[in-house]
Structure formats: structure tokens, C-alpha cells
Amino acid sequence: MIDSHAHLDSKEFDQDLNQILERCQEKNVRFVISCGTDLSSSQKNLDLSKQNPMIFAAIGVHPHETYLMDENTIEKLKKLSKEMRVIAIGETGLDYYYNFSLPEVQRKAFRVHIRLARERGLPLVIHCRNSEEDLIKILKEEKASEVGGVIHCFSGRKETALACLEFGFYLGVSGMITFKNTKDLSALFSELPMERLLVETDSPYLAPHPYRGKRNEPSYVVHTALKLAELKNLTLEKVENQTTENVENLFQLNKVNK
Ligand code: NI
């Protein structure tokens, strides 16, 4: 199994990252894709990925942080994107729920990330909250389907899910489906094709039941996979194999020099 979205650079993991990775091995979680949220976090994820063969890095500036972006940031991201263990551009996207950065600033930064992804031939790791219409519009205008990607922690409407699938994107299934109050989301995933779903934790955030409210960690992705297996009426093994294959296809992990 692969945790397709985590933030191992988070200071919450500074003390015990080795134990966390050991617990991954115990739970058959072979790889973790650790996603940058700004320049220094992207650099830290790259460093971690070089130190540990279980970790791959995605680099980018989270929509919340885009107000800090300038030409220099973009140049540095370009440089980082050439590193062997960087397998995706992100976490990028749009978040109109918090609006920590102005929508206009977020849209501009999102376009910059998509252009970089196309330039480097890397898939996108996308965050979307209360911004579905603009997100799909920009993905189309910038021809993001050329490189594809994942809408991580998908929690949007059915129409959006279908539009993203049609556009060649994958959807990230997070621990949210293990919560009691997310029956609509679970119902939606039960209808979507297994071939296009990834499982993820978004660690250290969004811990699945029975850890809700605590620090999340990549080995907990098994709880999300179990719930997905229940929804799809499949064995855990089938969900593990299919979602692993999906991650390997999307991020071309076999091409990375391990
Ligand atoms: Ni995230």
C-alpha cells in the first residue's frame, strides 16, 4: 500500500519519523508521498526523500501560502523540480473556504504550478476547497490533462468528481470516509471506479476513526483502505493492490532511481 499524500516535513514528526516509518512497514505501507506546502517545506521533503527510500517528494506552494510567492520562489521550485526523487508538483490548487491568500493570487499561482508540471512532465497534487468551478476551468485552460494528477482528499460534488475523472485525473480518498457524518461522500466513492482512486492520510492532519482528533500518520492509511474495501465490497488485499497500482501509474514510481 502507498500513502499518496502526507506532510512528513511537519514538525510534528521531527521526534519520531523513524518509528513512524517502521510502523508503515508493519502495516505493509511501502511508500509515502510527502507533499510540500511552501519552499522550505518542499526542500525538507526532498531531503527526507533522499535520506529514506520509502519517501518520495512533491514540491509546491499550498494555496494558503501563495501570498508569499514571488519570482524567486518560482525559480527555486523549478530547480527543485529537476531532482530525481521529486515525482509531482504540489500541493497546489485553490482554497476559497479559508482564503488565506486572495483568490486572484491563488489562481495565478495555480497556473504557474500547472505550467511547471507540464514543462517537467510531472503530475499534479491538487487541493480544492469551495473552488470547484474555477479549479476545473483553470485545469482545462492550462491543459493540465497532459500531465494528469490527483485531487487529493476529495470531498466535492459528484459532478466535479465525474468531470475530474473524465479529464484523466485521480481522486484521493482520505480518512474522512471513516467518519460517521460523511455518508454522502462514502456513497459517492462507492460508485466511482476503483482504477481511479488513491488512498491517503494527509498526515499529520485528518486522522481516521478510531484516531480522530489525534496526530495522523501514514500507517493509519490502512483504516481508509479498510473502509473503502467495505464500501466497494472488496477484500482489503484487492484495494491495496489496486490503489498501489494506481499510484505507481500516476507518479511513474518505477522510473525513479530507488
Ligand atoms: Ni495536504
Side-chain angles (χ1 to χ4, degrees), residues 5 7 35 62 91 127 152 202 205:
H5 190 109
H7 300 279
C35 304
H62 191 284
E91 164 165 4
H127 171 106
H152 108 86
D202 205 13
Y205 316 107

Side-chain angles (χ1 to χ4, degrees), residues 70-84:
D70 58 19
E71 281 304 318
N72 179 45
T73 320
I74 298 167
E75 282 314 306
K76 288 198 169 139
L77 280 179
K78 279 189 179 166
K79 212 171 148 213
L80 286 179
S81 71
K82 292 180 180 152
E83 293 272 355
M84 179 58 87

Side-chain angles (χ1 to χ4, degrees), residues 128-137 155-157 160:
C128 174
R129 192 153 183 203
N130 283 24
S131 56
E132 304 183 12
E133 229 169 88
D134 276 7
L135 192 102
I136 288 173
K137 183 169 164 276
S155 59
R157 294 188 301 264
T160 311

Side-chain angles (χ1 to χ4, degrees), residues 35-48:
C35 304
T37 53
D38 62 20
L39 208 49
S40 64
S41 129
S42 295
Q43 178 68 55
K44 190 169 171 187
N45 281 317
L46 173 62
D47 294 343
L48 291 174

Side-chain angles (χ1 to χ4, degrees), residues 12 203-208 210-217 220:
E12 314 217 18
S203 301
Y205 316 107
L206 217 60
Y211 302 105
R212 195 171 181 182
K214 303 211 170 75
R215 182 187 73 169
N216 200 359
E217 62 176 69
Y220 295 171

Side-chain angles (χ1 to χ4, degrees), residues 80-134:
L80 286 179
S81 71
K82 292 180 180 152
E83 293 272 355
M84 179 58 87
R85 294 195 66 84
V86 170
I87 53 148
I89 300 298
E91 164 165 4
T92 181
L94 302 172
D95 191 316
Y96 296 169
Y97 180 80
Y98 286 109
N99 272 331
F100 288 152
S101 298
L102 288 172
E104 181 55 37
V105 173
Q106 294 186 43
R107 288 192 287 270
K108 203 174 148 203
F110 187 33
R111 289 183 193 274
V112 167
H113 280 81
I114 300 172
R115 286 169 198 171
L116 175 59
R118 286 181 57 207
E119 197 181 304
R120 301 286 310 132
L122 291 171
L124 289 151
V125 174
I126 293 173
H127 171 106
C128 174
R129 192 153 183 203
N130 283 24
S131 56
E132 304 183 12
E133 229 169 88
D134 276 7

